[in-house]
Amino acid sequence: DIVMTQFPLSLPVTPGEPASISCRSSQSLQHSNGYNYVDWYLQRPGQSPQLLIYMGSDRASGVPVRFSGSGSGTDFTLKITRVEAEDVGVYYCMQALQTPWTFGQGTKVEIK
Amino acid sequence: EVQLVESGGGLVKPGGSLRLSCAASGFSLSSDTMNWVRQVPGKGLQWVSSISSRNTVIYYADSVKGRFTISRDNAKNLVFLQMNNLRAEDTAVYSCARAKFPGDVGGFDIWGQGTLVIVSS
């Protein structure tokens, strides 16, 4: 199975400041078509996960432009340009290159 | 409103069975790959199973293979998860999720709120 490792696991943030979460996979997630099969989700407290980024860098419908995804191969990053209070929750990366689809452990983002 | 609603969870003894349902509303899931994902309260996400739009491609996590069966009824806009020989470690909230594109590519863009399964004597 592909192991997804996120860091940090806890991220205190200040509203208006940038934030960054890293995700590393145990093997390359780059498909032969050139796309990276990694997605990012935000699970707000008490809610279901929400898709933020798919295929490494494509923003899902309705997701604010302050969220961006980057990276290739085994190293990926989710960035928030300016954190807002509604961004608190747990962020997960997930690989969809080969089954079983696997998630990272989650990064808990909270306001300082 | 586009949504997925799960039902069928509950308390069951080890070795018992449950059948979960996932009902789609506001859209037709007949062309979509559908998944089940579970989450132990307070813990992370674990993918459980996936079924393609026409039942031709089905995958399971090793931890449930041989015990769980995913199926669908496109005419009724439903997806199911039959869970047999349940174990304590299957205790979790089970959510269904739609894949944005066929083959689970593009992430899971619609999620249900989940149904809680508790396996305990």
Side-chain angles (χ1 to χ4, degrees):
Chain A
D1 297 2
I2 297 177
V3 177
M4 303 293 282
T5 303
Q6 289 182 231
F7 48 94
L9 298 184
S10 178
L11 182 60
V13 297
T14 301
E17 294 296 308
S20 178
I21 299 170
S22 296
C23 180
R24 181 167 292 165
S25 57
S26 59
Q27 63 189 74
S28 177
L29 300 182
Q30 189 169 48
H31 192 273
S32 55
N33 61 17
Y35 288 99
N36 287 279
Y37 282 24
V38 63
D39 309 313
W40 290 93
Y41 298 87
L42 164 59
Q43 186 173 30
R44 295 186 174 95
Q47 296 186 18
S48 299
Q50 171 196 358
L51 178 65
L52 296 176
I53 302 290
Y54 62 96
M55 308 288 272
S57 59
D58 288 344
R59 205 176 301 113
S61 176
V63 173
V65 296
R66 63 179 181 275
F67 290 94
S68 65
S70 63
S72 185
T74 61
D75 290 288
F76 301 91
T77 303
L78 177 72
K79 292 182 179 177
I80 310 173
T81 52
R82 285 177 295 277
V83 173
E84 297 190 7
E86 65 179 18
D87 300 338
V88 299
V90 181
Y91 290 77
Y92 295 94
C93 57
M94 188 196 89
Q95 66 83 18
L97 183 68
Q98 69 181 51
T99 57
W101 317 137
T102 46
F103 291 88
Q105 319 96 301
T107 295
K108 187 173 185 178
V109 171
E110 51 194 4
I111 301 295
K112 281 182 182 175
Chain B
E1 182 187 4
V2 169
Q3 63 177 353
L4 295 168
V5 179
E6 301 89 344
S7 60
L11 174 63
V12 62
K13 290 182 168 54
S17 298
L18 278 177
R19 188 193 196 206
L20 307 184
S21 299
C22 169
S25 61
F27 74 102
S28 170
L29 52 71
S30 61
S31 300
D32 297 322
T33 296
M34 298 298 295
N35 290 264
W36 286 95
V37 177
R38 67 186 181 184
Q39 185 173 32
V40 175
K43 302 297 184 182
L45 300 167
Q46 181 189 22
W47 170 81
V48 173
S49 183
S50 170
I51 184 168
S52 64
S53 59
R54 297 188 178 187
N55 295 326
T56 52
V57 180
I58 289 176
Y59 297 117
Y60 297 100
D62 283 347
S63 57
V64 307
K65 202 174 294 183
R67 301 186 299 122
F68 290 12
T69 303
I70 192 171
S71 62
R72 62 193 298 158
D73 185 335
N74 286 342
K76 295 183 178 179
N77 236 14
L78 292 168
V79 180
F80 305 101
L81 187 68
Q82 176 67 42
M83 304 187 298
N84 298 330
N85 191 19
L86 282 160
R87 306 167 179 168
E89 55 264 36
D90 296 319
T91 295
V93 173
Y94 286 74
S95 299
C96 58
R98 182 187 82 165
K100 185 174 175 64
F101 299 125
D104 285 334
V105 173
F108 303 157
D109 65 340
I110 304 173
W111 293 68
Q113 284 298 314
T115 185
L116 177 61
V117 172
I118 300 174
V119 184
S120 175
S121 55

